[in-house]
Amino acid sequence: MAQKIKLSTIGEALGVSTATVSLALRDSPLVAEATKEKIKAHARQMGYIYNRRAASLRTSKSGIIGVVVHDIMNPFYGEILKSIETELDRSRHTFLLSNHYDNVDKQRDFLDTLMQLGADGVIMSPAIGTPIEDIDLVLRNGLPVVLIARSIPKASLPVFRGDDSFGIGLATRHLISLGHKRIAMIGGTDDTSTGRDRYQGYLTAMKKAELAVKPEWRIPGPRTKQAGFEATGEFLALPDKPTAAVCWNDLVAIGLMNGIARAGLTPGTDISVTGYDDLEEAAIATPALTTVWNGQPEVGRRAARALLDRIDGVSDQSGTLELIRPELHIRQSTSPVKERA
Amino acid sequence: MAQKIKLSTIGEALGVSTATVSLALRDSPLVAEATKEKIKAHARQMGYIYNRRAASLRTSKSGIIGVVVHDIMNPFYGEILKSIETELDRSRHTFLLSNHYDNVDKQRDFLDTLMQLGADGVIMSPAIGTPIEDIDLVLRNGLPVVLIARSIPKASLPVFRGDDSFGIGLATRHLISLGHKRIAMIGGTDDTSTGRDRYQGYLTAMKKAELAVKPEWRIPGPRTKQAGFEATGEFLALPDKPTAAVCWNDLVAIGLMNGIARAGLTPGTDISVTGYDDLEEAAIATPALTTVWNGQPEVGRRAARALLDRIDGVSDQSGTLELIRPELHIRQSTSPVKERA
DNA sequence: CGAAATTTTTAAACAGTTTAAAATACTTTT
DNA sequence: AAAAGTATTTTAAACTGTTTAAAAATTTCG
């Protein structure tokens, strides 16, 4: 490259001070219209590129927002990310993305990088077991933090997520209303608030309907298609074989349906399956998946807005929990129970 | 937050100059061992955070690497991204990610942001129709660029991608060897090099086997499950109904298989289907998908390494094309043709 | 002409890194 | 034991590009 064009390069070329150039390029009313025009034209023509690091050294605003999730390849987070992206684009912020894969150290490294870069704020779905000190350090360095999808115990932060126990209740009651009495719950673990909430929601719905629940009916596990697929064996071998399965999420449900089909049964007819999240994929699965919409676009949009408000000092750092209300979307993976009761 | 800890804060507390502190924290041999220890301990204890923007202003190295792809929610890119992430983590670089959704303006905005932030380099799968000037501007600003998955006509840049026409040939010949004579090609468009290469590869394989190809057998379209699903109607209504379909990628293939199943036919038995990429998902689809492994981890790893080499000045900016050799993975979605010929 | 308003410039941050030079310590040599 | 020479440690000043408050210069207007 040729030599770098900076404010002073332009200033010298035009015989004005760098301050004037800086002001002009940012459209300050302090500079005469004619001067502005001349400066802007010259800057464009010389191929000037604004140096954000120099500016942010002075202003301590970097325009960078960090986003940390478990895994961007998980479409649930992908859909949230998409709405965050839309919202941040609008306000000309750039986002730095990282997966933590539920590794607290990796997450801490990334938070550290954000602080070093002088990020303006963080949106995160915290790794399982995130110590409160890690978050406190970030807050003490002046970065507002908002959480999505998961809460951190004892932390007083804004959280945006779906109402899990209500949502899983919708799915469970739907199966009950179709006459199912033996319903399993596949996937998820108890080490996140979401995990506990969903299991509780399922238990509550079963109890309300006065249905017995066997502990073996819960097959915990990761939240992936692979895991759902692999759980099939255990599920089909269950004593008092359940006629339906409430799955942790759509991925697990789709994996389970694939497994069921592979075993020669027909998912949706022989065994009813519900998902959770309502990913775009749910509608085109075979059979189309009955699932609970978990408000991904809402979560992303509102979390981004909340963070921007906090960055602008419009709002404070208090710990509000905003639960998005899930909706049941009934499709073909659930049907009335087959067996003669 | 309390007041910011900077090098001079530490220096004052210990009665040494900031230069010494800077040197000590970077483990320079110019500082006595004992002094180093004392300084490091103090820095840790005071909660010092390295200010990368201040440093990079002087050193013009930011540690940021930009990555631009079509859509991170597409698992094909997701898998590449994962291996890029692994490779960059190793060298303590942070990556800034962006989707361009094949929108040249959005891509240009992002490249502009990267230059403003003083990024060290860019890995990109360029948007369709990327003008060469957009890339030249980046190069002139001193950022090395390497491409993945797609080439840019006339640009002399390093490119890492699979050998498309060879790969699609593997799939097509496999179907031919199973006795299929009427083979359709679903998905993809002619506006990318990949699109053209794959279609050509299919045509070449058919021609070599002396099989006729009807132009209607090609159903172009987006590269998503949704698109594959929606193409089913047109595919099943084709004159001289093909007995097999070579799909643009796994997503299209899975969508098509879902569509076929929805229409009451059995994919893999009634109609053979091949995918492309060999996503993790391909193995657990129903039926398990015969597909062409496209070397995602290799592409990501080598692109990242090449970029880092260029950043370090080890290697130059010349335009090498590195084709990763695809492999055919045979599973249950393909079987011998059913009809009596 | 002088006051007020408008426009431009100056100079000091911002928080680090770099490097030549100064200061100090340690060996040798006589 | 002092002087000279060498090696180690530390310092001071320059440098990165932009912003901004305050000062200075210029123009406008009554």
Side-chain angles (χ1 to χ4, degrees), chain A residues 6 22 48 58:
Chain A
K6 44 186 171 174
S22 169
Y48 169 71
R58 183 67 221 259

Side-chain angles (χ1 to χ4, degrees), chain B residues 43-80:
Chain B
R44 202 178 1 262
Q45 184 255 304
M46 292 174 94
Y48 170 71
I49 289 179
Y50 180 72
N51 186 330
R52 245 147 91 160
R53 3 214 242 307
S56 91
L57 194 51
R58 180 70 219 257
T59 60
S60 49
K61 281 261 160 280
S62 64
I64 291 177
I65 284 177
V67 180
V68 207
V69 297
H70 176 272
D71 183 359
I72 52 165
M73 278 186 62
N74 181 327
F76 169 68
Y77 289 112
E79 293 182 4
I80 293 181

Side-chain angles (χ1 to χ4, degrees), chain B residues 154-191:
Chain B
K154 286 164 298 174
S156 169
L157 294 169
V159 184
F160 298 84
R161 58 181 179 81
D163 186 337
D164 291 300
S165 82
F166 176 79
I168 210 83
L170 289 175
T172 312
R173 286 198 300 275
H174 166 65
L175 289 170
I176 293 170
S177 77
L178 288 170
H180 295 272
K181 299 200 182 327
R182 300 193 306 282
I183 303 174
M185 169 144 195
I186 317 287
T189 44
D190 270 349
D191 45 15

Side-chain angles (χ1 to χ4, degrees), chain A residues 48-236:
Chain A
Y48 169 71
I49 288 179
Y50 179 70
N51 185 327
R52 244 147 94 159
R53 3 215 243 305
S56 94
L57 190 53
R58 183 67 221 259
T59 61
S60 50
K61 282 264 161 275
S62 63
I64 291 176
I65 285 178
V67 180
V68 207
V69 297
H70 175 272
D71 182 1
I72 52 166
M73 278 187 62
N74 181 326
F76 169 68
Y77 289 113
E79 293 183 3
I80 293 181
L81 251 34
K82 200 163 267 185
S83 71
I84 292 178
E85 181 183 27
T86 309
E87 202 63 25
L88 295 186
D89 265 1
R90 210 189 303 277
S91 64
R92 312 211 56 72
H93 281 265
T94 308
F95 70 100
L96 258 182
L97 196 60
S98 180
N99 305 117
H100 54 57
Y101 304 120
D102 275 325
N103 176 337
V104 176
D105 294 324
K106 185 158 167 41
Q107 176 179 273
R108 186 172 18 238
D109 271 1
F110 182 67
L111 292 176
D112 203 53
T113 298
L114 288 179
M115 293 189 282
Q116 295 188 4
L117 290 171
D120 295 338
V122 187
I123 298 176
M124 61 190 293
S125 176
I128 294 174
T130 300
I132 187 99
E133 296 78 34
D134 286 7
I135 305 293
D136 279 345
L137 179 60
V138 176
L139 294 175
R140 269 208 310 284
N141 269 276
L143 310 206
V145 176
V146 314
L147 303 184
I148 50 177
R150 294 178 182 174
S151 305
I152 297 182
K154 288 166 294 170
S156 169
L157 295 168
V159 184
F160 298 84
R161 59 180 179 82
D163 185 338
D164 291 302
S165 82
F166 175 80
I168 211 82
L170 289 175
T172 314
R173 286 197 301 275
H174 165 65
L175 289 169
I176 294 171
S177 76
L178 289 169
H180 294 274
K181 298 198 183 330
R182 299 193 307 280
I183 303 174
M185 168 142 198
I186 317 287
T189 44
D190 269 350
D191 45 15
T192 61
S193 55
T194 319
R196 289 184 295 273
D197 290 354
R198 292 202 189 159
Y199 187 48
Q200 279 311 316
Y202 153 82
L203 288 180
T204 308
M206 293 295 276
K207 207 151 290 174
K208 276 249 178 71
E210 300 186 343
L211 293 172
V213 176
K214 296 221 177 186
E216 310 93 79
W217 289 351
R218 178 171 204 211
I219 306 179
R223 303 153 181 82
T224 60
K225 274 187 201 171
Q226 192 67 42
F229 184 76
E230 284 166 3
T232 316
E234 187 175 347
F235 171 72
L236 293 176

Side-chain angles (χ1 to χ4, degrees), chain B residues 267-282:
Chain B
T269 312
D270 294 328
I271 293 169
S272 286
V273 176
T274 65
Y276 204 102
D277 289 344
D278 196 15
L279 303 178
E280 286 168 17
E281 202 177 332

